[in-house]
Amino acid sequence: MMAHYITFSISITFISWIVGMILGEILKRTAFFKNLSNFNFFKSKRLNQRIGMNVFRWIVKNTFFKFFNAKIELKNKFTTADLEELRKEMTYAEINHLIGFCMVTVFAFIELVRGNYLFALIFIIVNILMNLYPSLLQQENKRRIDRLLKICR
């Protein structure tokens, strides 16, 4: 039964990525999207380290996950325009993951209301690992790019 919960949670989370990309495309055409581009859950680098972002970053850089969004890559030689384009792509990825996070959270809440506590817990864990952490990683990387842009300007 638990294997079913895990595979279903992963499947729904993958679907949430697709939904996030579709809704993200619609959202980026609105004025509200500009407000979201500077949104941060945690501004503290120390807090990011405490929740394991360094480990998560290593996993993304050194496993098959690095192939998921090929647009988010910085070359050795770059211009300010390259940094701005990279930041924009990171914002898109971040917002898409946040949309996916919200979607899967609804599923988890429904299971919680139904009394399926284990299923809801698995939904939340998978959702955090596959939607929230990627979004937090993009936020952290955007802050690093902002520091580089400040130096370049």
Side-chain angles (χ1 to χ4, degrees):
M1 186 63 114
M2 192 152 134
H4 169 73
Y5 290 165
I6 293 170
T7 55
F8 188 76
S9 297
I10 291 171
S11 299
I12 291 295
T13 304
F14 273 113
I15 292 168
S16 79
W17 291 353
I18 296 167
V19 171
M21 286 188 281
I22 293 168
L23 293 178
E25 277 298 314
I26 294 167
L27 190 62
K28 77 179 178 182
R29 293 181 171 95
T30 66
F32 180 65
F33 187 81
K34 185 156 175 72
N35 294 337
L36 291 176
S37 69
N38 294 315
F39 177 72
N40 280 302
F41 280 112
F42 308 124
K43 291 182 182 179
S44 167
K45 186 175 183 176
R46 191 171 169 185
L47 182 57
N48 276 335
Q49 289 174 340
R50 284 189 175 165
I51 63 170
M53 287 309 297
N54 290 340
V55 173
F56 187 77
R57 182 184 313 109
W58 184 91
I59 291 169
V60 169
K61 284 173 60 175
N62 296 299
T63 64
F64 65 92
F65 288 110
K66 67 183 169 189
F67 301 113
F68 277 21
N69 195 345
K71 290 181 180 179
I72 301 178
E73 185 178 1
L74 188 61
K75 316 239 181 325
N76 287 337
K77 293 184 180 184
F78 53 86
T79 65
T80 304
D82 294 334
L83 288 174
E84 289 170 351
E85 183 63 27
L86 181 63
R87 189 182 192 288
K88 189 167 64 170
E89 288 299 326
M90 286 183 171
T91 301
Y92 294 153
E94 170 197 353
I95 301 302
N96 295 347
H97 278 291
L98 286 175
I99 292 168
F101 181 77
C102 292
M103 179 188 139
V104 177
T105 299
V106 169
F107 278 91
F109 182 74
I110 290 168
E111 291 305 320
L112 191 64
V113 169
R114 289 183 175 169
N116 295 331
Y117 303 117
L118 179 61
F119 200 8
L121 178 65
I122 291 171
F123 257 127
I124 292 297
I125 291 169
V126 170
N127 196 22
I128 287 171
L129 293 174
M130 294 178 69
N131 274 324
L132 184 61
Y133 267 48
S135 186
L136 292 174
L137 181 62
Q138 299 304 341
Q139 288 179 5
E140 184 177 318
N141 288 337
K142 284 190 327 185
R143 287 192 297 272
R144 291 169 52 207
I145 287 174
D146 288 344
R147 285 193 298 271
L148 278 174
L149 283 169
K150 194 181 255 186
I151 292 168
C152 291
R153 289 182 181 153

